[in-house]
Structure formats: C-alpha cells, structure tokens
Amino acid sequence: MKKIMTTDITLKKLSENREVALLFREKTAIAACADSLGADAVELAGVKNLREDTIIYKTIAQNIRSATLAIPAGFTDEDVKNAWECVKDAKKPRLQIELPVSTVQMEYTYHVKQDAMLKKIAELTKTAKSYCDDVEFSALDATRADESFLILAAKEAEANGASLVTICDDAGVSTPDAIAELVEKVKREVKIPVYVQGCDRINMAVASAFAAISKGADGIKCAMAGKDVLQTGEFSDAMRVCASQIGAEISLDTTKIHTSIDDMLASINHEEYESENAVSEKKKILLDSASSLSQVKNASKVLGYDLSDSDMGNVYKVLMQVCEKKGAVGSKEFEALIASSAMQAPSTYHFETYTTTSSNVSKSMSQVTLKCNGEIICGVASGDGPIDSAFRAIEQCIGHHYELDDFQVQSVTEGKEALGSALVRLRNNGKLYSGNGTSVDIVGASIRAYINALNKIVFEEA
C-alpha cells in the first residue's frame, strides 16, 4: 500500500486562531505530542517575534525525535535566514515558501501580478535551498487560482529546488472531486510529491483528503485542534476503517491518538490560559478576615499558584493582618500578598545598579549590574521601553530566558513622589514564581520584582 505522509499543523492553526498567544510550554507540548503520535512532519507558525520565537523553536528543534520540523520562511531573503536559524538544529529541518497563487490574494494582499509572483517563488525557493535541502512550496488559496498559473508556480518551485508542493484549500468551498481533479493535474506536471491542505468549513475535509489520495496525493496536512481544518483524529479514524479500500496507509498511531490529543488539549487549556471562565473566576476572588484557609488556598489555585503548606500558612497569616486594616482584598491585591510572603528565598542574585535610555524614536537600551556569589555580572540589551530592555539585560546577565507570565504596576502611595509596586510572574517548567518590588522609581521596582522571582526559581532548583 502507498504510504501517505501526514503533516501536523496544530501549532500554526492555534497560533492563528487564538487571541491569546500560546505559552512556551504549550508550544513544546503540542510539538512533542504530534511527534510521539507518528506525524511525519510538524509545522511551526511563522516567526513574529524573532528573539522569543528563535529561543522557543530551537528548543522544539532539539526535542523533536523523528518528525521533520517545518517553518514558513517569510517573504524576503532576511526572513528565510531568520527561519533557518530557528530550525537548523533539528534532525530533519524543512523551509516552507508560502505564497498565494490566486489573483485575489496576489493583487490585494501582496500587490503583485502573476509574473512578479513567479519571480518571487523562484527567488525565495532558491534562497531557501541554499540553506536547506528540504524546501516546500505551499500554493496558498490554490483552489481559487487559475489552474494554468498554479501549474506554472509549482513547476517554477520545482525548477529552483523545491522538494514538494502543497495545494492549499484556504477558501474551503471546493468539493472533494474538484480538489482531487486539481491534484491529478498538478501531479501530471511535476515530479516532486504533492501534498494537500484541506479545509473543513463545509464539513468535507475527510472526504476531500480521501479524494485527493485516490488521485495520487502523497501527503495530507491535519491538526489535532483548530478551526476549519482537517482533524487528525477524524482522519486517523477514517484511515483505520477505509485504508485498504484506497490502498494507502499512514504512520499515525491510531490506537492512542484520541487519548494523547485529549491529554495535550487539557494541558494547553489550563487555568493560566485566560479563557472567559478563568477570567470570571479571578474576578470573583474577594477575601476578608472571615475567609477560611481552604478558601484562601482555592483562591491561590485559581490564580495559578501551587503553594506548599508552609507558604500557604505565611500567605494566610499576612492576609489576615491586611484584612484587619483594609477589610477585604481582591485578586490583584491577593496576588501581591503571595508575591511578597510566599516562598521567600535567599538572594542568589543581588541587584546592584541599572542605567537606561528611552526615546519615542528609537528602542530603549538598558544596562543592569547584578552580584552573584561575590562576582559582578553585567548585561546590556535593547527593548520596547525601559522595563522590557531591563528585563532583557537581566537575561543577558544570567544567560537564561524565563517566560514572563504576567507583569503589573500600581502605586502604593499618592502624590508625585508616590511609591510604586511592581509584580512579576515568571514561569519555569510549568510552575509560577512571583516577585514583588517597591520603589519610588518604577523601573527599579520592576527590576527588583524580577530578581525576587528569579531568586525563588534558583533556590527551588538548587
């Protein structure tokens, strides 16, 4: 039977569909799940924040064991270079040239005509090939394109080094027969494998995949979650029942696919993901002197903290003291209490000095000096504002990036010399660590809060 290659596009689809960005842990969990289920390739979302995405994608690249790791290479030579930096450490890297071939997308989104698009396909494919042997050309919106131009685009990509071509049904209005016919025509004109990325907008994704396979498609793209996309579970179930009828097989582990996907989805929909339900639960938090220890503990879990009995006792004691004076506290005030009283750790890193420059016409630049075990260490970094650049400078000092889960600033006193309080939440190995800092200088308070959270991580790891 013919082996049909399966490509998992969950990361890409969820990044497009979710209003809240996926967390570092969620991205790695999705990629690891797809790899463990036997997907032949895993697609990453395109690079948006170069610095952060490079760190995340390099981590994923090192952890993917058997699947090819593919990444969109953008629209310029510089984009291609940046994309390659993200996946070059993978065992089997792939660069994707994703360009539209329909008139409406070419002219109204990219503002180019057919001739210019053909040149761009050739240029980017050739550039990608200079970095990576495995280059994919994805013909976006192919089902609404002129068939003759689609074929020209596929042949141009092949001539410049593409190792496979993907026909994308982005509009989601084509019938299975129409997609199958398109696959057959492209297959006749090129010698490289032809993949199909279908759409389930009219609930025909599985039927379209089977029709495409019957006409020679070599690969199918599917996702474990996401809108208007062929679902991995549904495609796997259909293949398990009907594979022999179409003379094809896939490498997905059909025996554990639903359990693994359910576990993965549960992990990425944890309380820290700001769903409407989680937000409403946080808004309900109101604690006073009559609150029991169990109520306080439940409130901390809603905020995403898993505190030890000792820390819980410290938080409860401080809360009662505050409530005697204030009456009641809400979620933000309660989180500040957790930051200041839970898991107090020895100061491995001591904040010494900082210098920052800020302007509305250029990026901010900060220098932060810390002391660790009697040694002075210094970091310099740029960022979007003095606080962002200061946090990046701290990362330069310690040589590690922690995910910034939350950052809050509020005034403690009134007047132009008001005392400011900063709250920083860092995530490490799925666990939250909060730090609190207070100063008349809000940048200084933010740095102190970051260092406070950092010391808690270092202490627990030690």
Side-chain angles (χ1 to χ4, degrees):
M1 290 196 292
K2 180 179 179 179
K3 170 69 180 300
I4 302 300
M5 309 299 285
T6 55
T7 299
D8 182 85
I9 57 174
T10 309
L11 265 173
K12 182 181 290 184
K13 283 298 176 182
L14 290 186
S15 296
E16 293 173 357
N17 295 341
R18 288 175 64 162
E19 294 181 2
V20 178
L22 290 166
L23 302 174
F24 181 98
R25 177 185 57 79
E26 293 175 329
K27 292 178 180 179
T28 55
I30 292 169
C33 181
D35 186 38
S36 67
L37 287 175
D40 297 293
V42 175
E43 285 190 17
L44 302 170
V47 176
K48 292 183 178 178
N49 185 315
L50 179 59
R51 182 176 178 278
E52 292 182 8
D53 287 344
T54 300
I55 293 172
I56 295 170
Y57 290 167
K58 280 190 173 183
T59 302
I60 293 174
Q62 293 168 357
N63 293 332
I64 294 295
R65 296 180 179 179
S66 57
T68 296
L69 189 64
I71 185 171
F75 197 65
T76 67
D77 289 351
E78 184 67 21
D79 291 340
V80 176
K81 180 182 178 181
N82 292 336
W84 174 243
E85 286 297 317
C86 292
V87 298
K88 67 179 183 180
D89 295 329
K91 291 182 179 179
K92 292 184 284 186
R94 174 181 294 165
L95 292 176
Q96 297 173 292
I97 305 303
E98 295 185 331
L99 293 172
V101 291
S102 67
T103 301
V104 63
Q105 289 291 337
M106 285 190 294
E107 295 189 3
Y108 291 98
T109 303
Y110 286 80
H111 311 294
V112 297
K113 300 288 186 180
Q114 289 186 353
D115 290 345
M117 183 56 73
L118 285 176
K119 290 180 180 178
K120 178 59 72 172
I121 291 171
E123 171 195 328
L124 292 180
T125 304
K126 189 177 296 183
T127 301
K129 191 69 174 180
S130 68
Y131 290 103
C132 182
D133 289 335
D134 191 355
V135 178
E136 172 187 352
F137 169 60
S138 288
L140 303 180
D141 206 22
T143 53
R144 291 195 296 175
D146 177 76
E147 289 182 2
S148 60
F149 180 71
L150 169 61
I151 291 171
L152 281 175
K155 293 174 74 173
E156 189 71 21
E158 181 183 27
N160 285 277
S163 48
L164 67 103
V165 59
T166 298
I167 297 173
C168 301
D169 178 26
D170 299 303
V173 294
S174 296
T175 64
D177 289 342
I179 292 175
E181 184 179 348
L182 202 56
V183 169
E184 188 175 30
K185 290 179 179 179
V186 175
K187 284 286 292 182
R188 281 201 300 261
E189 300 293 334
V190 299
K191 296 179 181 179
I192 56 178
V194 175
Y195 285 24
V196 172
Q197 181 176 318
C199 180
D200 202 33
R201 193 162 295 147
I202 54 177
N203 301 317
M204 288 190 179
V206 173
S208 296
F210 271 56
I213 292 171
S214 69
K215 293 297 183 179
D218 302 285
I220 297 295
K221 296 191 176 185
C222 50
M224 296 178 285
K227 298 177 182 177
D228 301 332
V229 64
L230 172 62
Q231 296 292 316
T232 305
E234 294 179 3
F235 178 58
S236 174
D237 291 343
M239 286 295 292
R240 186 173 63 247
V241 176
C242 305
S244 59
Q245 299 177 34
I246 60 173
E249 61 181 357
I250 56 176
S251 58
L252 292 175
D253 187 344
T254 57
T255 59
K256 65 175 185 178
I257 195 162
H258 289 290
T259 302
S260 297
I261 291 176
D262 287 345
D263 290 343
M264 181 274 294
L265 292 177
S267 72
I268 70 170
N269 285 298
H270 200 256
E271 286 94 336
E272 68 265 13
Y273 171 59
E274 299 291 335
S275 63
E276 292 181 2
N277 182 61
V279 172
S280 64
E281 288 299 314
K282 289 183 180 182
K283 288 182 178 178
K284 292 178 183 177
I285 293 178
L286 188 65
L287 302 169
D288 56 23
S289 58
S291 298
S292 66
L293 182 61
S294 62
Q295 288 174 322
V296 176
K297 190 172 185 178
N298 288 336
S300 69
K301 286 184 177 180
V302 168
L303 292 174
Y305 293 96
D306 185 14
L307 302 178
S308 66
D309 291 340
S310 175
D311 284 335
M312 196 69 254
N314 291 335
V315 171
Y316 184 76
K317 180 180 178 180
V318 174
L319 174 67
M320 292 299 105
Q321 293 173 348
V322 171
C323 287
E324 286 179 5
K325 300 177 181 179
K326 184 175 171 52
V329 300
S331 60
K332 287 189 176 181
E333 294 158 314
F334 180 53
E335 190 159 25
L337 292 179
I338 293 175
S340 61
S341 57
M343 194 185 163
Q344 294 305 300
S347 297
T348 303
Y349 291 99
H350 298 266
F351 172 42
E352 294 290 309
T353 63
Y354 87 91
T355 304
T356 188
T357 60
S358 186
S359 166
N360 67 338
V361 294
S362 63
K363 285 200 168 189
S364 293
M365 183 72 72
S366 291
Q367 175 179 310
V368 176
T369 303
L370 307 178
K371 180 183 285 187
C372 179
N373 298 324
E375 179 184 355
I376 297 295
I377 51 179
C378 182
V380 179
S382 62
D384 298 323
I387 292 175
D388 180 50
S389 62
F391 286 177
R392 293 174 186 266
I394 295 172
E395 292 177 355
Q396 288 285 331
C397 289
I398 64 177
H400 191 84
H401 169 76
Y402 290 106
E403 181 183 340
L404 182 63
D405 186 86
D406 192 17
F407 172 64
Q408 300 175 21
V409 174
Q410 60 184 13
S411 62
V412 178
T413 57
E414 297 179 356
K416 65 179 182 179
E417 296 182 355
L419 195 63
S421 174
L423 174 72
V424 167
R425 293 207 307 181
L426 300 179
R427 185 177 298 279
N428 182 46
N429 295 326
K431 188 173 180 180
L432 290 176
Y433 298 82
S434 60
N436 185 263
T438 304
S439 173
V440 291
D441 169 13
I442 202 60
V443 178
S446 302
I447 294 174
R448 293 178 190 280
Y450 193 105
I451 298 299
N452 186 220
L454 172 63
N455 282 326
K456 292 178 181 181
I457 294 175
V458 174
F459 176 70
E460 183 163 291
E461 286 183 339

